[in-house]
């Protein structure tokens, strides 16, 4: 018996950077990501002089097709505005069973392929953020992201605000604080606590919504002297 294990990710992208005006820059990216996990076994045996090869495998597949556009705008020396949007199409195949039989010494070939439980997600997002320098010692980065995620029978739309502040008390001391609101529209299904290629990914469904998190962070940041 031969164990068949194959997994990995292939990413292809095409980007176009341009300068629209003296203070506006853009970047447009067309991309495709393919994530594959194939776990199974192959059995080579000879019965009554006839050699038979049987291969059985469980396949998990996630494809992402997307287009995103990002813009940088510098209206004032103290402002850096970033905005843009994206669209992504997510086909999911959480479990696909393949079986192949090759018997005899000739070209006899039999291939049996079954697919179950395909899912499809459409994700559209828009965002804007402004990095502001209020004074030499105080900086603020505030933004908002809107996400529209559609699956069969349900459309989710959420707002994700975020803000970060930094205050320089001294050349060697900064105070920083931030708040971030995030949503995740993909769920990982795992049989144990280890991250293995047998884990599968599924999108949100009509009954199971996105995971939501709110994160607050803050701290003091020191610059140690150099000798």
């Amino acid at each position: 018996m031969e164990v068949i294990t194959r997994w990995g990710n292939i990413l292809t992208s095409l980007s176009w950077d341009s300068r629209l005006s003296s203070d506006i820059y853009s970047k447009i990216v067309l991309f495709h990501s393919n994530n594959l996990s194939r776990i199974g076994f192959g059995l080579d045996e000879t019965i009554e002089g006839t050699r038979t090869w049987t291969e059985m495998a469980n396949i998990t597949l996630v494809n992402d097709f997307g287009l995103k556009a990002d813009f940088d705008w510098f209206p004032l020396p103290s402002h850096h505005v970033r905005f843009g949007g994206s669209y992504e199409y997510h086909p999911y195949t959480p479990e696909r069973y393949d079986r192949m039989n090759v018997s005899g010494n000739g070209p006899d070939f039999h291939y049996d392929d079954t697919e179950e439980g395909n899912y499809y997600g459409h994700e559209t997002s828009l965002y804007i953020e402004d990095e502001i320098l209020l004074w030499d010692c105080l900086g603020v980065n505030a933004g908002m992201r809107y996400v529209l995620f559609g699956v069969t029978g349900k459309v989710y739309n959420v707002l994700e605000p975020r803000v970060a502040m930094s205050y320089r008390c001294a050349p060697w001391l900064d105070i920083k604080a931030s708040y971030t609101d995030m949503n995740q529209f993909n769920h990982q299904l795992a049989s144990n606590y280890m991250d293995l290629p047998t884990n599968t990914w599924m999108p949100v469904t009509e009954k199971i919504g996105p995971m939501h998190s709110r994160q607050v962070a803050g701290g003091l940041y020191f610059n140690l002297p150099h000798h």
Side-chain angles (χ1 to χ4, degrees), residues 181-195:
D181 200 313
M182 295 178 291
N183 293 270
Q184 182 170 317
F185 298 92
N186 304 292
H187 299 297
Q188 186 183 50
L189 306 181
S191 57
N192 53 52
Y193 65 91
M194 298 180 64
D195 190 9

Side-chain angles (χ1 to χ4, degrees), residues 63-81:
N63 271 302
D64 291 319
F65 302 87
L67 175 66
K68 61 182 298 187
D70 300 308
F71 299 88
D72 292 89
W73 178 33
F74 300 87
L76 296 171
S78 58
H79 285 257
H80 180 187
V81 180

Side-chain angles (χ1 to χ4, degrees), residues 4 6 36 38 41 52-59 61 93 96-103 107-115:
I4 302 169
R6 178 189 173 196
L36 171 68
R38 181 183 180 97
F41 67 89
T52 302
W53 168 261
T54 302
E55 180 179 319
M56 303 175 66
N58 192 18
I59 297 176
L61 181 66
T93 304
R96 175 178 171 179
Y97 173 72
D98 279 4
R99 179 177 179 178
M100 180 176 65
N101 294 326
V102 180
S103 59
D108 298 338
F109 179 83
H110 174 71
Y111 181 76
D112 183 22
D113 177 23
T114 59
E115 284 190 31

Side-chain angles (χ1 to χ4, degrees), residues 4-227:
I4 302 169
T5 305
R6 178 189 173 196
W7 71 90
N9 187 71
I10 298 176
L11 176 64
T12 305
S13 65
L14 180 65
S15 65
W16 178 33
D17 298 346
S18 63
R19 181 175 181 177
L20 303 179
S21 66
S22 59
D23 55 0
I24 300 179
Y25 301 85
S26 69
K27 182 175 184 178
I28 300 175
V29 180
L30 180 68
F31 63 90
H32 169 239
S33 175
N34 177 278
N35 183 275
L36 171 68
S37 172
R38 181 183 180 97
I39 307 295
F41 67 89
L43 182 62
D44 189 359
E45 56 184 351
T46 302
I47 301 177
E48 296 180 355
T50 301
R51 184 179 181 184
T52 302
W53 168 261
T54 302
E55 180 179 319
M56 303 175 66
N58 192 18
I59 297 176
T60 298
L61 181 66
V62 179
N63 271 302
D64 291 319
F65 302 87
L67 175 66
K68 61 182 298 187
D70 300 308
F71 299 88
D72 292 89
W73 178 33
F74 300 87
L76 296 171
S78 58
H79 285 257
H80 180 187
V81 180
R82 301 179 182 90
F83 62 95
S86 66
Y87 168 76
E88 296 182 40
Y89 173 56
H90 308 279
Y92 299 82
T93 304
E95 186 172 281
R96 175 178 171 179
Y97 173 72
D98 279 4
R99 179 177 179 178
M100 180 176 65
N101 294 326
V102 180
S103 59
N105 298 319
D108 298 338
F109 179 83
H110 174 71
Y111 181 76
D112 183 22
D113 177 23
T114 59
E115 284 190 31
E116 295 182 1
N118 288 344
Y119 299 87
Y120 305 93
H122 301 267
E123 181 177 355
T124 303
S125 66
L126 298 171
Y127 77 92
I128 185 171
E129 67 172 299
D130 190 2
E131 186 176 345
I132 312 168
L133 183 62
L134 299 178
W135 296 285
D136 291 340
C137 59
L138 179 61
V140 178
N141 189 324
M144 179 72 71
R145 183 171 180 259
Y146 172 72
V147 185
L148 190 72
F149 195 97
V151 292
T152 302
K154 184 73 172 182
V155 175
Y156 296 92
N157 60 92
V158 295
L159 287 174
E160 298 178 338
R162 56 198 63 189
V163 61
M165 302 181 65
S166 176
Y167 182 77
R168 170 151 292 187
C169 303
W172 49 272
L173 175 62
D174 291 328
I175 301 176
K176 296 182 180 181
S178 65
Y179 168 82
T180 305
D181 200 313
M182 295 178 291
N183 293 270
Q184 182 170 317
F185 298 92
N186 304 292
H187 299 297
Q188 186 183 50
L189 306 181
S191 57
N192 53 52
Y193 65 91
M194 298 180 64
D195 190 9
L196 299 173
T198 54
N199 297 341
T200 61
W201 288 92
M202 287 185 59
V204 295
T205 64
E206 184 179 0
K207 297 181 179 180
I208 302 176
M211 291 177 284
H212 180 224
S213 69
R214 293 186 178 97
Q215 179 177 304
V216 179
L220 299 175
Y221 295 81
F222 296 88
N223 293 323
L224 298 178
H226 298 277
H227 297 285

